[in-house]
DNA sequence: GCCGTTTTCGGCCCGACTGTTTTCAGTCG
């Protein structure tokens, strides 16, 4: 068995290569050279194993997209923490490229021109120049350009960052529903990273087939949620909606729906791979279809296009150019877990600790979702902020759970608890209390900044306790708000297999923890996984689909997810006798 | 800069919209 460890250095190396790419682009280097750096960065970012391993083994050049030149930069960076090449370039172009490029409408050419002519280095410089009318006199620029720059700056300051998947999904679904109601609209779907279930979303892409393109675009740009229209052409439009999210719409004829949906679902890297296959067959693939010369040979459905290309259908969550195309060629894609496979939710809170609903309300809501059993996992121990239960209250709660279990037929209610792992690795409750519970979750809630070694030991110690069944939200991160614990996942996965501990995929929209890359590594290592919503109200139970999304992005089948087990098998696996 | 059952040289994904132009470059996805 081989193990995988996700290292922080991968992200550092990727960041360096991205920055080099930006600077090369400013310099006006060949687009292909720039692209080569970006591609290498992207591959290393989602590598799934530490770049140091390949480096120490002298096998950097075996990484896709890394050749002699880039390998040398990586080597220097890993040895010395610096890159002469990068620093030299940065000296000649000292502007804040990242921030400037993030302004809508600002690309490398404008950033370079504005630096050369006006010494603009920061967004602040840019704003001042635009306000005083210094930009309009430059070649290729005009008054409108200045206005757009100011609008772009204002917008970048207001919005900042990406939208959580769990927030973007309902918005996209509502827009899709509204478009679907129109008489002249046939197919409509959202695409993009949203359809691939990435944990955060840059913007929302929507695709429509219609007999009347103009009417669709008109309807779209005049929706009440639209705050301003960025672009509006005959087949394509972009708008901002309340809250600042950008929504792109594309209208296409029915016969192109499949190829367009593929194109807009991405990922970009997946599309490029597909197009290369088409080129090798002397065809051409675009959003308008698969072409042999001028003749369209596929495009109506995604299935048709994949099939014509000699590939089995690839689920959107797998389209990241991480080897799925090769598997599709061999017809060996995994049968991904689906929401329907889920028989239970293994993490939820009630009024007993920090939730808003009762045991009974949670159970009824879970039953409505079609679950066979659930696990009530209120906080227990000393976590006072979360109103954690002590031994006495756990006893009282057990009586209520048993009562509800009898009262509500068709769903089994288990008593679990979420126990805090203290900084020294000790658990927040005594063993004689833990042993009375059906399922025990252990998780980190504090001291998330300890060094990796200590943090890892904490989790390993918890797993060594025979009563701990699941490690919940392993890193404790909150997306865009808190980084979470540094962990040596290689050792954690080893210990999980040794002790039979399950690792949770937490489906809370701002947790998504394990994330897709770590869940991928866990599955490859052979770990058992669970998906829990960590719900604090009945509404939140529906977040299960986000967790399933992570599992699917990690190529999990139902075999790897313990809460797809029917109750009988689940009870047997965890030694529950009731 | 990378890469190769078409190539170790000559390719590298493809198209829409905007704004400033008067035929197109820049940007975006």
């Amino acid at each position: 068995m081989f193990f995988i460890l996700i290292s922080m250095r991968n992200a550092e190396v990727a960041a360096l290569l991205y920055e080099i790419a930006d600077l090369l682009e400013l310099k006006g280097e060949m687009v292909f050279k720039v692209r080569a750096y970006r591609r290498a960065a992207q591959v290393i970012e989602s590598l799934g194993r530490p770049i140091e391993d390949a480096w120490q083994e002298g096998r950097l050049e075996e990484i896709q997209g890394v050749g002699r030149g880039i390998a040398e930069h990586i080597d220097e960076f890993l040895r010395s923490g610096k890159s002469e090449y990068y620093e030299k370039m940065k000296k000649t172009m000292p502007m804040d490229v990242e921030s400037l490029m993030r302004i809508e409408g600002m690309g490398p050419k404008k950033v370079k021109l504005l630096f050369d002519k006006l010494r603009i280095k920061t967004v602040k410089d840019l704003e001042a120049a635009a306000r005083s009318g210094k930009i309009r006199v430059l070649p290729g620029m005009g008054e409108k350009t200045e206005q757009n720059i100011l609008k772009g700056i204002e917008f970048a300051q207001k919005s900042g960052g990406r939208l959580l998947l769990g927030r973007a999904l309902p918005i996209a679904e509502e827009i899709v529903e509204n478009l679907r109601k129109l008489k002249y609209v046939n197919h409509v779907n959202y695409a993009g990273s949203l359809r691939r279930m990435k944990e955060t979303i840059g913007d929302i892409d929507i695709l429509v087939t219609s007999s009347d393109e103009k009417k669709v675009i008109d309807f779209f740009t005049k929706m009440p949620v639209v705050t301003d229209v960025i672009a509006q052409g005959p087949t394509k439009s972009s708008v901002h909606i309340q809250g600042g999210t950008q929504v792109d719409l594309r209208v296409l004829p029915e016969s192109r729906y499949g190829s367009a949906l593929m194109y807009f679902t991405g990922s970009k890297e997946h599309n490029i791979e597909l197009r290369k296959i088409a080129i090798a067959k002397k065809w051409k693939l675009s959003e308008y279809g698969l072409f042999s010369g001028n003749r369209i040979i596929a495009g109506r459905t995604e299935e048709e296009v994949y099939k014509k290309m000699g590939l089995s259908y690839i689920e959107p969550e797998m389209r990241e150019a991480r080897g799925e195309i090769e598997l599709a060629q061999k017809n060996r894609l995994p049968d991904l877990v689906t929401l329907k496979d889920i028989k239970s939710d293994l993490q939820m809170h009630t009024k007993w600790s920090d939730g808003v609903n009762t045991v009974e309300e949670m159970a009824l809501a879970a039953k409505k979702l079609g679950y066979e059993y659930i696990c009530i996992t209120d906080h227990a121990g000393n976590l006072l902020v979360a109103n954690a239960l002590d031994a006495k209250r756990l006893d009282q709660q057990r009586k209520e759970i048993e009562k509800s279990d009898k009262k509500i037929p068709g769903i089994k209610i288990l008593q679990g608890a979420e126990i805090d792992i203290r900084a020294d690795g000790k658990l927040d409750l005594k063993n004689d209390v833990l042993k009375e519970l059906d399922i025990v979750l252990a998780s980190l809630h504090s001291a998330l900044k300890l060094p990796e070694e200590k943090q890892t030991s904490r989790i390993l110690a918890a797993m060594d306790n025979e009563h701990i069944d699941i490690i919940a939200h392993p890193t404790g991160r909150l997306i865009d708000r808190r980084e979470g614990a540094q962990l040596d996942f290689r050792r954690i996965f080893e210990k999980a297999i040794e002790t039979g501990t399950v690792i949770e995929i937490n489906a809370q929209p701002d947790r998504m923890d394990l994330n897709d890359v770590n869940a991928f590594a866990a599955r490859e290592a052979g770990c058992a996984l669970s998906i829990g919503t960590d719900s604090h109200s009945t509404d939140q139970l529906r977040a299960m689909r986000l967790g399933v999304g992570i599992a699917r992005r990690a190529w999990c089948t139902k075999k790897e997810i313990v809460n797809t087990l029917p109750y009988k098998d689940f009870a047997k696996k965890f030694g529950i006798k009731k």
Side-chain angles (χ1 to χ4, degrees), chain A residues 427 431-432 434-435 437-440 460-470 499-501 573-574:
Chain A
L427 293 166
N431 275 336
D432 58 336
L434 295 180
K435 78 172 197 294
L437 298 164
D438 297 320
I439 292 288
V440 183
L460 295 180
M463 288 200 282
D464 269 327
N465 181 305
E466 57 172 325
H467 301 298
I468 299 301
D469 301 294
I470 297 176
T499 57
T501 313
K573 183 177 169 71
F574 289 95

Side-chain angles (χ1 to χ4, degrees), chain A residues 25-251:
Chain A
E25 198 169 29
L26 287 185
K27 249 175 82 181
E29 273 286 355
M30 293 273 295
V31 283
F32 301 112
K33 188 166 165 177
V34 174
R35 205 177 283 166
Y37 276 92
R38 294 231 165 95
R39 184 173 137 73
Q42 193 260 334
V43 169
I44 289 165
E45 210 168 30
S46 60
L47 196 55
R49 65 196 148 85
I51 185 95
E52 294 106 303
D53 284 3
W55 172 58
Q56 277 158 4
E57 292 162 13
R59 299 165 76 169
L60 281 175
E61 287 181 50
E62 285 173 34
I63 297 169
Q64 265 301 312
V66 177
R68 188 76 162 282
I70 291 181
E72 270 170 24
H73 296 318
I74 297 175
D75 176 62
E76 184 197 353
F77 181 73
L78 288 177
R79 265 188 298 107
S80 68
K82 289 203 293 197
S83 163
E84 188 101 359
Y85 183 61
Y86 165 75
E87 276 166 37
K88 247 185 168 161
M89 260 195 302
K90 186 73 196 170
K91 248 183 214 156
T92 66
M93 294 174 285
M95 54 283 219
D96 183 357
V97 186
E98 219 194 311
S99 306
L100 287 169
M101 297 262 276
R102 214 178 290 150
I103 308 294
E104 175 116 48
M106 288 289 286
K109 294 283 159 36
K110 280 191 195 141
V111 170
K112 182 68 168 29
L113 180 75
L114 291 171
F115 177 71
D116 288 346
K117 301 283 185 193
L118 300 172
R119 310 309 286 177
I120 286 172
K121 285 202 269 190
T122 64
V123 176
K124 221 172 160 184
D125 297 343
L126 181 66
E127 185 174 359
R131 281 200 196 289
S132 55
K134 283 182 187 153
I135 293 177
R136 65 183 71 174
V137 298
L138 299 175
M141 308 275 175
E143 219 171 307
K144 191 88 193 227
T145 315
E146 278 176 350
Q147 283 168 21
N148 282 342
I149 285 173
L150 289 172
K151 251 164 79 181
I153 292 171
E154 192 194 349
F155 185 77
Q157 283 163 349
K158 217 166 50 188
S159 70
R162 295 167 65 88
L163 191 62
L164 294 175
L165 174 66
R167 294 183 62 92
L169 263 179
I171 297 172
E173 281 166 343
E174 193 181 324
I175 295 174
V176 164
E177 279 319 305
N178 282 320
L179 287 166
R180 186 165 286 146
K181 282 184 199 144
L182 302 175
K183 274 196 298 265
Y184 43 87
V185 163
N186 302 322
H187 282 103
V188 48
N189 206 346
Y190 56 80
S193 47
L194 191 60
R195 185 159 178 249
R196 303 202 311 280
M197 299 289 276
K198 280 199 72 163
E199 63 193 27
T200 60
I201 302 300
D203 53 29
I204 295 174
D205 299 299
I206 300 209
L207 208 60
V208 166
T209 66
S210 170
S211 49
D212 194 338
E213 286 107 342
K214 190 175 175 309
K215 264 190 174 166
V216 177
I217 300 270
D218 272 356
F219 175 86
F220 177 73
T221 55
K222 295 196 172 81
M223 293 186 302
V225 290
V226 171
T227 55
D228 64 287
V229 178
I230 307 163
Q232 180 173 7
T235 64
K236 187 178 166 178
S237 170
S238 298
V239 301
H240 286 132
I241 59 169
Q242 284 159 20
T245 304
Q246 181 173 330
V247 185
D248 296 338
L249 177 81
R250 199 62 184 250
V251 194

Side-chain angles (χ1 to χ4, degrees), chain A residues 219-493:
Chain A
F219 175 86
F220 177 73
T221 55
K222 295 196 172 81
M223 293 186 302
V225 290
V226 171
T227 55
D228 64 287
V229 178
I230 307 163
Q232 180 173 7
T235 64
K236 187 178 166 178
S237 170
S238 298
V239 301
H240 286 132
I241 59 169
Q242 284 159 20
T245 304
Q246 181 173 330
V247 185
D248 296 338
L249 177 81
R250 199 62 184 250
V251 194
L252 284 124
E254 201 63 37
S255 58
R256 315 288 161 97
Y257 186 60
S259 49
L261 192 54
M262 276 171 80
Y263 172 77
F264 285 104
T265 298
S267 67
K268 198 167 141 196
E269 291 73 22
H270 178 86
N271 286 346
I272 289 172
E273 296 292 310
L274 291 181
R275 284 176 177 188
K276 282 183 187 164
I277 293 176
I279 289 167
K281 293 182 191 283
K282 304 225 189 271
W283 296 337
K284 191 184 75 171
L285 178 64
S286 76
E287 62 261 52
Y288 296 109
L290 183 60
F291 292 89
S292 171
N294 288 328
R295 195 169 54 90
I296 183 164
I297 54 177
R300 190 166 289 271
T301 66
E302 290 188 320
E303 287 81 356
E304 182 189 79
V305 179
Y306 278 116
K307 195 173 167 197
K308 194 79 192 175
M309 304 257 295
L311 304 169
S312 40
Y313 177 76
I314 301 173
E315 297 285 354
E317 294 91 335
M318 287 188 78
R319 300 182 196 170
E320 298 287 348
R322 291 179 189 166
E324 73 281 3
I325 291 174
E326 228 171 82
L327 290 183
Q329 281 171 327
K330 297 179 192 153
N331 197 18
R332 286 176 51 189
L333 287 169
D335 188 11
L336 299 184
V337 63
T338 68
L339 189 55
K340 275 192 186 147
D341 293 326
I342 301 295
K343 301 276 196 304
S344 171
D345 193 331
L346 297 179
Q347 183 172 184
M348 65 186 71
H349 301 251
T350 70
K351 278 186 169 171
W352 281 94
S353 66
D354 57 349
V356 303
N357 291 98
T358 63
V359 170
E360 200 174 314
E361 285 161 351
M362 293 305 276
L364 285 170
K367 191 180 163 185
K368 237 185 202 163
L369 293 174
Y371 294 152
E372 257 184 56
Y373 54 104
I374 53 168
C375 196
I376 303 289
T377 55
D378 278 301
H379 294 283
N382 294 315
L383 260 192
L384 293 179
V385 281
N387 189 25
L389 284 72
D390 56 14
K392 194 172 151 202
R393 286 179 69 220
L394 275 172
D395 277 337
Q396 294 167 351
Q397 189 201 36
R398 183 167 314 121
K399 289 194 183 93
E400 183 186 322
I401 288 179
E402 282 166 3
K403 216 169 95 191
S404 301
D405 186 51
K406 278 196 190 112
K407 191 172 158 193
I408 307 169
I411 188 157
K412 184 80 198 161
I413 311 172
L414 300 174
Q415 186 190 30
E418 182 182 6
I419 314 292
D420 185 45
I421 306 171
R422 296 179 193 159
D424 59 4
K426 291 215 174 74
L427 293 166
D428 220 12
L429 266 186
K430 295 259 164 26
N431 275 336
D432 58 336
V433 182
L434 295 180
K435 78 172 197 294
E436 299 300 322
L437 298 164
D438 297 320
I439 292 288
V440 183
L441 276 51
S443 52
L444 308 177
H445 293 94
S446 57
L448 295 177
K449 292 210 164 96
L450 294 178
E452 180 178 305
E453 173 59 33
K454 273 202 175 143
Q455 210 67 279
T456 304
S457 307
R458 244 173 126 181
I459 300 238
L460 295 180
M463 288 200 282
D464 269 327
N465 181 305
E466 57 172 325
H467 301 298
I468 299 301
D469 301 294
I470 297 176
I471 300 297
H473 50 73
T475 74
R477 72 140 173 192
L478 294 174
I479 297 175
D480 282 347
R481 283 192 287 150
R482 188 170 76 196
E483 192 176 10
Q486 301 295 326
L487 297 170
D488 182 342
F489 274 111
R490 185 196 325 238
R491 291 169 64 203
I492 287 172
F493 296 154

